[in-house]
Amino acid sequence: MRDSLFKMFGSVKLVQEVSRSSSAQSQSTANLPSSSGPSAVEVSPSSSPDASSSTQRNSEPLLPSPSPTTSSYSSYWPTHSVQPIPFSFNNYTPATPSLPMWISSYTYNKPTRGVRDLLFGGASTQSTLPPASTTNPRNHSRRSSRSIRRSRQLSKSTQKLLCLWPLPVITRYIIALSLLISCLNFFDVLHVSCSSPSLVLYRLDFANLALSPFLFTWSLHGILIFGWNVLVLGLFEESLTHMLGGTRQFIRLLAGIVLGVSVIRQGLGYLFTKSTGWAVPILFFNDSVHECSQGIAPFLFALLMVQSLSLEDKYIMLYGDTDPNHKLTVRKVTLQLFMCLVNYLVKNILWWSLTGLITGYIAAFIIQATILRGKRHSTWSKEESSFDDFTRPTPLWRLLWSALKKAGAVAMLAFSILLLFNAYYLSQEGSVDLALLNQLSDDRYMFTFVVMTAPRRGDPAFLSRTLDSYLSNWPTNPEPESLYSRIQVIVYTHFSNHSGFDAARERYSTDPKAQRYIKWLREEGADVNQRLHVSKALRQAVGTFQSTYVALMEDDFPMCGSNAWRDIENTIYKAHQQVPDHCGVFVGTGGR
């Protein structure tokens, strides 16, 4: 039993299956340069003596390429011989071929050019030419056109050994830069921390925004998450470098993603707080402006969107020597999505991840549109020019729309999973222990709520409703020295004639709870000056009572929701834990 298991798993190979069109396989295998690039080694069966001897010397079995998909219209495209690559670990140098990209058309002698072929290229197949009656454009029906299009979009799949050592070039540079910045930060040479829109928008902290992606903490979980993200980045670089046609193109893509994530993240933070959040409370999200980043995780979610343009690419683990069915297959996008989600084991980064998805979707659109625009005016070879009468190009908008649907489907799936993680983290946020909150200060009062009120037309009962919303959350007879014994409400007005103030005072004169918490304060005057009203109220509250927090609000600011008061308590406690020297806490209208 042990021998059979050892024999089965002793020859495990990690393979990536890349869908390639039938137009460029021979060119890509013939034009492999000797420079370093992604460590993906194509393995195909070989009939040449050199390849056979090289394979035998290295004792490595070759992985057969899957057979091309056949169709009733396969005779429309001529075949071309494909020279295999001799596989040898001793003399192989990884290379990055610049694969040609084609636009799909209906010409029977042209190679397969689907949406995926625009990104990958491929190898052509040969067959005999059809009869003249078949190639006559007048006899070419719409149904046969659709069938030809479907058959032409079926491309060959080539299997390549997955080799991530040595690491891809850009991944190595990012590791070196991260180690340098983290070491300097550890020895207090640099002072770098995670970045959030609140620091960038209000403190112009652009240095942390630029350096925080390369920062990790020297703790166990910090090192593990950093190593994991570097592994994911290496997989993306190995796959997307091959897709885009070279390391230089991947550098441009990564630089654009970094810039896009940085800009869009600040925009989302401003949009859902100061821009629309204050006017529409339901659109106010505190985390949108205060959520800190976590290394390169947002950039990985953006690269996931670009990878979604090639949904059919897979990772395959082959094991065993005899049975070809001994394999485990998973799509690249699926595996990379779950690898990106590992970042949520540390903390919730919903807004940074969402920014990465949005940036990656935009990048995927630009990549696809650029390729289509560049290849639209390309000329065919002389061998194909004689069949131009039969050409019926696929509309470019259809190719672009197909790619955007793929990226959109992956984005919606990823966003749904992110919302589930966010809901889990929110459910884990329990209420703070009142005893702990009560120990944060030694002042006589922990909270002093100053409710400013002024005469209104019609004397609406705003003041009474606001006071009721707060009193309903507090006990009538709090225990001595407890948190609720350190809470008071000051109802203040500087108007001599204020019937609403008098009516509310008369109403609560017989309420034991109101008498316990509410103090009524009136100054003579009639000036309709809001700034003067605020300054007088603060002067009375701060000068008369010793209070840790003074909450300033108007008489039409009732507390909304049954959990609003507990949210205020949690906010105060988090402020003391995360920013010990803070000078104030902002709570939106209604305790949001």
Side-chain angles (χ1 to χ4, degrees), residues 304 330-339:
L304 178 68
V330 62
R331 293 179 185 269
K332 283 186 177 182
V333 173
T334 303
L335 179 62
Q336 291 164 351
L337 172 60
F338 284 99
M339 293 181 74

Side-chain angles (χ1 to χ4, degrees), residues 45-46 84 137 163 230 239 252 273 297 320 346 351 353 374 411 416 426 443 526 542 544 576 580 589:
S46 173
C163 304
V230 166
S239 178
R252 294 174 180 174
T273 53
V346 180
W351 289 95
S353 304
S416 301
L426 292 178
D443 296 329
V542 176
T544 307
H576 274 271
T589 303

Side-chain angles (χ1 to χ4, degrees), residues 183-487:
C183 289
L184 294 178
N185 187 73
F186 180 78
F187 292 106
D188 293 332
V189 178
L190 291 177
H191 299 281
V192 184
S193 61
C194 65
S195 178
S196 64
S198 60
L199 300 177
V200 177
L201 295 176
Y202 304 112
R203 297 185 183 179
L204 302 180
D205 193 0
F206 296 103
N208 274 336
L209 178 63
L211 298 179
S212 60
F214 310 103
L215 177 69
F216 65 90
T217 59
W218 292 98
S219 60
L220 179 60
H221 74 273
I223 295 175
L224 291 178
I225 288 296
F226 170 72
W228 182 265
N229 286 338
V230 166
L231 173 62
V232 180
L233 178 63
L235 291 175
F236 276 122
E237 182 180 354
E238 188 277 330
S239 178
L240 296 180
T241 300
H242 175 77
M243 174 194 298
L244 299 174
T247 303
R248 182 174 300 177
Q249 284 74 11
F250 180 79
I251 295 176
R252 294 174 180 174
L253 170 64
L254 188 60
I257 285 177
V258 171
L259 180 61
V261 168
S262 301
V263 174
I264 295 177
R265 181 67 185 93
Q266 315 311 316
L268 291 178
Y270 181 85
L271 177 66
F272 289 99
T273 53
K274 190 173 182 179
S275 179
T276 60
W278 287 8
V280 185
I282 196 174
L283 296 179
F284 181 88
F285 298 95
N286 185 67
D287 290 340
S288 66
V289 73
H290 293 292
E291 182 183 271
C292 268
S293 60
Q294 182 171 312
I296 61 174
F299 311 142
L300 299 181
F301 281 96
L303 293 174
L304 178 68
M305 291 294 96
V306 181
Q307 180 65 59
S308 65
L309 294 175
S310 303
L311 284 178
E312 300 302 324
D313 291 355
K314 304 172 184 177
Y315 289 118
I316 304 175
M317 186 180 75
L318 302 176
Y319 56 92
D321 295 330
T322 58
D323 191 352
N325 294 323
H326 287 168
K327 63 180 181 179
L328 298 176
T329 304
V330 62
R331 293 179 185 269
K332 283 186 177 182
V333 173
T334 303
L335 179 62
Q336 291 164 351
L337 172 60
F338 284 99
M339 293 181 74
C340 291
L341 292 176
V342 173
N343 288 277
Y344 276 78
L345 297 179
V346 180
K347 64 178 182 179
N348 187 16
I349 51 172
L350 173 66
W351 289 95
W352 282 97
S353 304
L354 176 61
T355 304
L357 294 178
I358 295 175
T359 306
Y361 189 81
I362 297 174
F365 174 82
I366 294 175
I367 290 173
Q368 191 72 358
T370 302
I371 294 174
L372 292 175
R373 181 186 180 95
K375 293 303 177 181
R376 182 175 184 179
H377 303 289
S378 63
T379 58
W380 302 107
S381 62
K382 295 182 179 180
E383 298 177 357
E384 299 170 343
S385 60
S386 59
F387 301 99
D388 286 342
D389 294 338
F390 187 72
T391 301
R392 295 180 59 186
T394 302
L396 300 183
W397 67 266
R398 182 174 297 174
L399 298 176
L400 184 59
W401 173 245
S402 177
L404 293 182
K405 286 194 298 183
K406 294 179 182 180
V410 176
M412 294 303 299
L413 175 62
F415 182 62
S416 301
I417 299 177
L418 297 184
L419 290 179
L420 294 178
F421 277 96
N422 182 66
Y424 169 77
Y425 273 99
L426 292 178
S427 64
Q428 296 300 112
E429 294 181 357
S431 299
V432 62
D433 188 0
L434 297 182
L436 294 177
L437 184 61
N438 192 36
Q439 297 174 0
L440 295 181
S441 71
D442 298 328
D443 296 329
R444 168 62 185 90
Y445 290 100
M446 184 71 177
F447 299 108
T448 296
F449 294 90
V450 180
V451 182
M452 300 179 300
T453 180
R456 297 175 183 267
R457 183 178 301 177
D459 294 330
F462 289 157
L463 179 59
S464 299
R465 283 186 293 179
T466 299
L467 294 176
D468 287 339
S469 67
Y470 283 87
L471 293 175
S472 61
N473 293 279
W474 303 333
T476 303
N477 296 311
E479 298 180 0
E481 303 301 327
S482 65
L483 176 66
Y484 292 108
S485 66
R486 302 171 61 197
I487 296 178

Side-chain angles (χ1 to χ4, degrees), residues 88-109:
S88 173
F89 282 109
N90 297 329
N91 57 12
Y92 175 76
T93 301
T96 304
S98 180
L99 300 180
M101 304 175 184
W102 301 90
I103 296 180
S104 176
S105 69
Y106 288 68
T107 306
Y108 65 85
N109 72 318

